[in-house]
Amino acid sequence: MSKIIAINAGSSSLKFQLFEMPSENVITKGLVERIGLDDAVFTISVNGEKVTEITDIPEHGVAVKILLKKLIDLGIIQSFDEITGIGHRVVHGGEKFNESVLITEEILGQLEELSELAPLHNPANIVGIKAFREILPNVPAVAVFDTAFHQSMPEKSFLYSLPYEYYEDYGIRKYGFHGTSHKYVSERAAELLGRPVEQLRLISCHLGNGASIAAIEGGKSIDTSMGFTPLAGVAMGTRSGNIDPALIPFIMEKTGKTADEVLEVLNKRSGILGVSGFSSDLRDIESAATEGNERAELALEVFAGRIHKYIGSYAARMFGVDAIIFTAGIGENSDVIRARVLQGLEFMGVYWDPALNKVRGKEAFINYPHSPVKVIIIPTNEEVMIARDVMKIAL
Ligand code: ADP
């Protein structure tokens, strides 16, 4: 029996899940928020109950120490030796990594080089890796990349129509993200459909604060909506998704902002927040729209409308589709968004049942039985994929 910890380190947060493997039983999970501030918040679930502590956590190393000490204090483990492997989510693996990898000094160096491609994400992931390496130097650690699953995209999908040498010289191409989630739900969809994934054409909609759509043919990602960075594709909580690139200098000129400041607007003040003008959280938008708030209604239309169009485009890309999958916070929970995304898709064989669509947060088919295209809600589980890869690679 192994105990494996899956880690998702962000710039000021660290999420963890401790698994017993191979049973995949979750022993505990939790999260450290506001790292770097005096009132950092440490939350851990013990027997289904959440325990929260507010304390001073100046950096990730301290967060890791507190987390490990808590596991012992709460009697979840007796000693650090019980942890047999660590899996780290790493956002960007570039073209170098098409699968998860055991972390060595050399790999760590390569991850640092990749930070250039993902300056907002990779440095935080690396800080998390280093913190664990210092405290548990002998426990094997594996990096699991958000980009890896999309490395199967053919050149015609990942290449931008820019001067070709930009790709060769600077690595400018579509990488795609949320790969671990798209992979998990596509494999799970095949199980639920009772068919080998090799025979399926799937469109997976990962709709959370970040959102991306993937076309998955024969178990391989062949196209996805995010691009060189996670800013591209559909509209998101605070991210714009695709816009006309000529708008960037235009906005700079009109507002006097620098390029970095405009990018900040596109990343943090656009999407559902930008259109609604008051919230990035879909629950707020849904209730305001119900009360007649027009901008909230517009945000719903914009958000769902982009996804709807991607589905048409990816169905065309694969010459058809066998199933559409919804996952992540919005995909799993919002019948309102699912209904708008699926509206009118009967022309391509998507017959969905509004009564079944009312389901929330659990695996379910929401299509009519006769529908040629199935529609499936599948709660994502990136952490279990991380734990599985640690088992496969390090143990
Ligand atoms: P992240 O990308 O941060 O992991 P999540 O997958 O947790 O995001 O998704 C967060 C989004 O899911 C938020 O917009 C939230 O409003 C939405 N969401 C969560 N629960 C519900 C619900 N019951 N109904 C509608 N939207 C929901």
Side-chain angles (χ1 to χ4, degrees), residues 19 24 35 50 112 119 145 180 216 221 235 277 322 326 366-367 388:
F19 287 91
E24 299 185 350
I35 298 174
K50 273 191 185 162
E112 276 172 344
F145 301 96
T180 311
I216 301 164
S221 169
D322 298 298
F326 286 96
I366 61 168
N367 54 275
R388 284 177 195 169

Side-chain angles (χ1 to χ4, degrees), residues 20 23 48 59 110 114 117 128 155 161 164 180 213 225 234 287 301-302 304 320 329-330 333 337 383 389:
E20 187 179 274
S23 70
E59 40 103 10
Q110 292 171 354
L114 285 168
L117 294 177
E155 202 171 21
S161 52
Y164 192 80
T180 311
I213 320 298
S225 59
V234 295
S287 43
E301 287 287 293
V302 168
I330 296 171
N333 293 301
I337 289 297
E383 294 78 15
D389 276 3

